[in-house]
């Protein structure tokens, strides 16, 4: 081996100011550059409450909250999108079954632990996840939450190490504490967002108010929290998202709204291309703000709700990219002039996953050849017309794009201008696949840095 | 950005003893650890000749040979396998057309330049590649090589920077010099293998003699050279391979033999998952050693020829992995108990391409969770039975495998034993997908190191 690792680690540890702990980020440990992404106030949906508490899922965590609870004051609609990985964690199986059994209605809560993913834990793991949901159900004492023969009303999520059983007693013991701590202030939401983190360097929380033409006098709100940062720790299972709105949406419409939003947001980001056993994004809608119920794609307000939800999910997903392991760049990849959205997205995701493109971005290298190569090997894509393909860098400051390849012909690149654009943290890569098709896809990713290798290779030190 | 790049570069340049130049590796610059892969003698096929010369394709290369020529003393059969990238370089297009036009017979030579890939060069690039072939044809003055209305008889290859036109005059000028230098000694073959390199740290040359039951008294030989190391340089276009045998194989059988061999060798390796615009492997067979002609899969000797060729191509492809950019590990990924070879190979390639698996290997981390996750997200695979999946590390010293996951259940890992296995350069990851299917695939890859990022991100320094 070429590098002497111990010396190298010392070097890294001196240079590295972006500390990642294997536990929820505590107060004050957020890197200065990331503080701007953490809100100091919010506009939260009516009838939803949040809480967090310390359960000590990992024995080494004696201090930080690692159990989060989100509750609706009344039974609500629920939908979720899950990982496609064949090794699905117990909470994924249990929550999928619960939503199916209930037809997505009568949902009351989301309970989440960090520190242990409850993945690859067999039958016992399933029992643990069921138990977490049942214990959470007990928080709600009104009639609607009494057992109705359909089992739990709680969405269960876990994130952390794979292959270990949950310390169930500690979690069960603390669920009532979380219940009694439920509240609707900004601090409640922020603490819950923090408790679901693992190696994230900052909690990811967004909220937004919006209107629907179907109820012009009503103000609706959306809140969302997520955790991600990649599967950076040993056997870590990754991305979770929880969105809640007080808009009135029936289960029949909720799943379609969520699936479409996730397709263009959480399923359009890449840190390293690896997908985990636990990835789950759930959406709850309790209608507490009133207005006419959205029941299908033809309901008044559906299209606007879709637009709002998608834009919100995109902003939330972008926070995951902002916290990508070791990333020094935030890169938007826009692929246009494709015959289909699927083609455009496949090309964008192939570019986003190319280690050669990602290391070139880290090295601030205007390397259109690597972008072109990745475009050319995207599988199952029919839209690429080599003689009509163009590649540009688009600065995010509004200045003109820098053309690197125009209709298959290399441009003489202005290296000074390229260096200027590549110096910025944010950058857009624009690929036009042809002079025809009008479909476009957008993808977000970071670069591959030395720190990425350090984080993912050297976890034991 | 966290790391101060200039300081980091200084650190790397002190620690880094594996020098990569953007030109063929000159005498004496082969890293000591790689010298064992460079043969000092060989058994070369009859009737084939090799040469190299200095053309100065890159003006900065004033010293190292960058033009290689392989010739058959008589017209021979030829076949090739090309990149599937949609942006195909001019020599790929020209060689594909040539082999089609000639039906794979009457081939005389392979001409290769390094330093410029002649990719994304439009119509002018095609003309340049055609010209290289025609100029090479002139080396052969016997009747069979006179123009016959079917154009060139030469396989043309280029490797190097994308998006630049060839310095054609310099190349054309030196092709006659290469012709006059043709010879059959080990030194001739080694110098040709060296001339096709770009950022490879050592020339990759193998030769082998073999017998076929169809001609028990005949000794046949195979020679192969390849260059690879990944698309490490700016806009670099990558993998080339040239194989020659004196066994008698008709064009009708040659393409099938080559395609099957490549599927299990060059198409079963991954450095970073990126495929280039120029990848080409060609096989020539001149029958100079005599014996009955192999014309189809039912010919005597076909099966043995396939076995010999595949094993040889595997050994040649492994040399590319040995020279993977920044790689500190040589990893064999064996996936067994699949319903089909395609399933097994897809899982193996997905594991081989996972940045999380590759960084864990660099960090010497027995991280079966990441291997399992990659297994679970391999696309279009039906063979994975989570409750029957097992993962082990198999040491290459013949000692017992270390079981990490058995039939979906995590093992208590002996960390000392894991550390011992991971300390070695060579390692096998064994994944059993089920307790049923009997198909198996083998894939070879390296790890992702800090040096990989340095090589691919910092090329300008």
């Amino acid at each position: 081996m070429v590098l002497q690792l111990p010396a190298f680690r010392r070097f890294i540890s001196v240079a590295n100011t972006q500390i990642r702990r294997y536990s929820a980020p505590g107060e004050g440990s957020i890197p200065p550059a990331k503080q701007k992404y953490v809100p100091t106030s919010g506009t939260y949906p009516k009838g939803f409450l949040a809480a967090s508490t310390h359960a000590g899922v990992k024995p080494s965590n004696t201090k930080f909250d690692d159990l989060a609870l989100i509750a609706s004051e009344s039974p609500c609609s629920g939908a979720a999108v899950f990982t496609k990985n064949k090794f699905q964690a117990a909470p994924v199986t249990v929550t999928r079954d619960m939503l199916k059994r209930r037809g997505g209605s009568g949902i009351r809560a989301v309970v989440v632990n960090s520190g242990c993913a409850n993945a690859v834990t067999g039958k016992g793991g399933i029992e643990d996840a069921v138990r977490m949901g049942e214990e959470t159900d007990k928080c709600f004492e009104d009639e609607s939450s009494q057992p109705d023969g359909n089992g739990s009303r709680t969405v269960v999520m876990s994130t952390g190490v794979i292959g270990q059983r949950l310390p169930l007693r500690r979690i069960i013991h603390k669920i009532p504490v979380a219940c009694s701590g439920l509240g609707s202030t900004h601090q409640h939401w922020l603490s819950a967002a923090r408790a679901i983190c693992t190696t994230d360097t900052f909690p990811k929380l967004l909220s937004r108010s919006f209107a629907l033409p179907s109820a012009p006098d009503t103000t609706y709100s959306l809140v969302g929290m997520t955790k991600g940062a990649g599967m950076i720790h040993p056997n870590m299972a990754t991305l979770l998202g929880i969105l809640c709105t007080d808009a009135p949406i029936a289960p029949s419409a909720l799943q379609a709204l969520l699936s479409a939003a996730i397709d263009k947001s959480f399923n359009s980001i890449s840190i390293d291309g690896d997908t985990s056993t636990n990835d789950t994004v759930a959406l709850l809608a309790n209608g507490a703000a009133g207005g006419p119920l959205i029941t299908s794609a033809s309901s008044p307000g559906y299209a606007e709700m879709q637009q709002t939800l998608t834009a919100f999910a995109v902003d939330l997903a972008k926070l995951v990219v902002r916290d990508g392991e070791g990333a020094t760049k935030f890169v938007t990849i826009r692929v246009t002039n494709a015959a289909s959205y699927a083609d455009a997205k496949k090309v964008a995701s192939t570019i986003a996953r190319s280690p050669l493109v990602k290391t070139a971005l880290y090295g601030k290298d205007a390397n259109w050849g690597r972008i072109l190569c990745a475009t050319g090997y995207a599988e199952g894509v029919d839209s690429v017309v080599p003689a009509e393909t163009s590649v540009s860098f688009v600065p995010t400051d509004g200045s003109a794009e820098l053309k690197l390849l125009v209709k298959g012909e290399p441009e003489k690149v202005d290296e000074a201008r390229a260096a200027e654009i590549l110096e910025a943290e944010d950058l857009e890569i624009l690929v036009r696949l042809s002079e025809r098709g009008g479909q476009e896809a957008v993808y977000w990713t970071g670069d591959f840095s030395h720190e990425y290798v350090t984080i993912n290779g050297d976890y034991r030190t």
Side-chain angles (χ1 to χ4, degrees), chain A:
Chain A
M1 209 180 67
V2 168
L3 293 168
Q4 293 304 307
L5 217 50
F8 192 82
R9 282 172 178 155
R10 275 195 302 279
F11 177 81
I12 290 289
S13 67
V14 170
N16 186 348
T17 57
Q18 184 167 314
I19 297 157
R20 287 181 189 268
R21 297 169 204 281
Y22 181 39
S23 65
E27 297 283 351
S29 71
I30 297 165
K34 305 293 184 187
Q35 274 161 11
K36 64 184 173 216
Y37 301 119
V38 183
T40 53
S41 67
T43 312
Y44 297 103
K46 296 179 191 70
F48 280 104
L49 303 168
S52 74
T53 190
H54 172 259
V57 174
K58 281 179 71 80
S60 61
N61 173 14
T62 58
K63 195 168 152 191
F64 301 118
D65 286 3
D66 51 5
L67 187 68
L69 180 61
I70 313 293
S72 174
E73 291 178 331
S74 59
C76 70
S77 304
V81 171
F82 301 101
T83 179
K84 292 197 173 73
N85 198 298
K86 289 185 184 70
F87 296 90
Q88 304 215 330
V92 169
T93 304
V94 167
T95 296
R96 189 197 302 275
D97 288 354
M98 185 278 288
L99 288 171
K100 197 175 168 189
R101 205 170 49 236
R102 295 209 162 268
S105 68
I107 312 305
R108 290 304 300 267
V110 183
V111 65
V112 194
N113 73 274
S114 57
C116 174
N118 192 8
V120 200
T121 44
K123 220 172 141 182
I126 296 282
E127 289 165 8
D128 293 348
V130 168
R131 189 70 208 288
M132 270 179 76
E134 287 173 350
E135 196 65 27
T136 307
D137 292 339
K138 295 181 188 162
C139 298
F140 311 103
E141 293 178 344
D142 60 356
E143 198 179 325
S144 74
S145 287
Q146 293 309 303
D148 61 358
N150 284 326
S152 174
R153 295 168 179 276
T154 298
V155 170
V156 179
M157 299 180 180
S158 295
T159 179
V161 174
I162 293 179
Q164 291 179 10
R165 290 286 295 275
L166 286 177
L168 190 67
R169 233 176 34 179
R170 285 203 290 277
I171 292 173
I172 295 301
H173 186 63
K174 287 301 187 76
I175 286 176
V177 177
C179 291
S180 68
L182 283 166
S184 60
T185 68
H186 172 67
Q187 209 46 53
H188 283 91
W189 287 103
L190 188 62
S191 75
R194 189 178 281 125
I196 69 171
C197 291
T198 49
T199 49
D200 304 63
T201 68
F202 64 94
K204 293 160 191 72
L205 176 71
L206 282 182
S207 62
R208 184 170 298 171
S209 61
F210 62 99
L212 293 175
S214 48
D217 299 329
T218 307
T219 299
Y220 295 111
S221 293
L222 254 171
V223 62
M225 60 181 69
T226 184
K227 59 94 32 182
M231 292 190 11
I232 61 176
H233 232 69
N235 310 337
M236 177 75 85
T238 319
L239 194 142
L240 300 180
I242 303 154
L243 292 85
C244 304
T245 182
D246 49 15
I249 310 172
S252 53
L254 200 67
Q255 184 66 49
L257 284 166
L258 179 64
S259 296
I262 294 305
D263 198 30
K264 304 219 165 172
S265 57
F266 286 94
N267 283 343
S268 291
I269 60 173
S270 174
I271 305 299
D272 46 28
D274 283 79
T275 40
S276 96
T277 54
N278 288 51
D279 298 343
T280 304
V281 181
L283 170 61
L284 303 187
N286 65 4
L293 189 67
I294 295 172
T295 56
S296 76
S298 55
S299 297
Y302 184 94
E304 293 79 7
M305 187 67 225
Q306 182 70 74
Q307 209 173 359
T308 301
L309 184 67
T310 302
F312 185 76
V314 163
D315 287 346
L316 204 54
K318 282 180 176 176
L319 289 178
V320 177
V321 177
R322 289 273 174 213
D323 204 12
E325 313 146 28
T328 70
K329 292 260 177 282
F330 180 90
V331 185
T332 301
I333 298 170
R334 187 179 305 273
V335 176
T336 70
N337 299 77
S340 67
Y341 173 72
D343 268 15
K345 189 172 178 183
K346 185 70 187 176
V347 170
S349 79
T350 304
I351 296 169
R353 290 174 66 163
S354 161
L356 289 174
V357 170
K358 291 167 92 84
T359 48
L361 288 168
Y362 175 62
K364 301 178 185 174
D365 174 12
N367 201 325
W368 60 265
R370 292 181 182 176
I371 297 168
L372 200 72
C373 274
T375 301
Y377 69 72
E379 282 177 28
V381 171
D382 295 323
S383 303
V384 182
V385 184
E388 298 177 4
T389 300
S390 300
V391 178
S392 294
F393 283 165
V394 183
T396 52
D397 62 2
S399 60
E401 73 182 81
L402 177 68
K403 295 179 179 183
L404 302 167
L405 183 82
V406 177
K407 297 182 197 173
E409 295 288 335
E411 290 284 290
K412 175 101 190 81
V413 175
D414 176 347
E415 292 286 346
R417 176 72 180 135
E420 203 176 79
I421 293 174
L422 285 160
E423 201 55 47
E425 183 181 335
D426 287 33
L427 167 73
E428 179 177 313
I429 295 172
L430 173 62
V431 180
R432 297 177 182 89
L433 295 184
S434 72
E435 297 287 302
R436 312 159 208 182
Q439 294 302 308
E440 170 176 328
V442 188
Y443 219 89
W444 296 274
T445 192
D447 53 347
F448 267 2
S449 65
H450 290 107
E451 202 198 350
Y452 176 87
V453 177
T454 301
I455 293 170
N456 283 296
D458 292 2
Y459 88 93
R460 284 168 196 269
T461 55

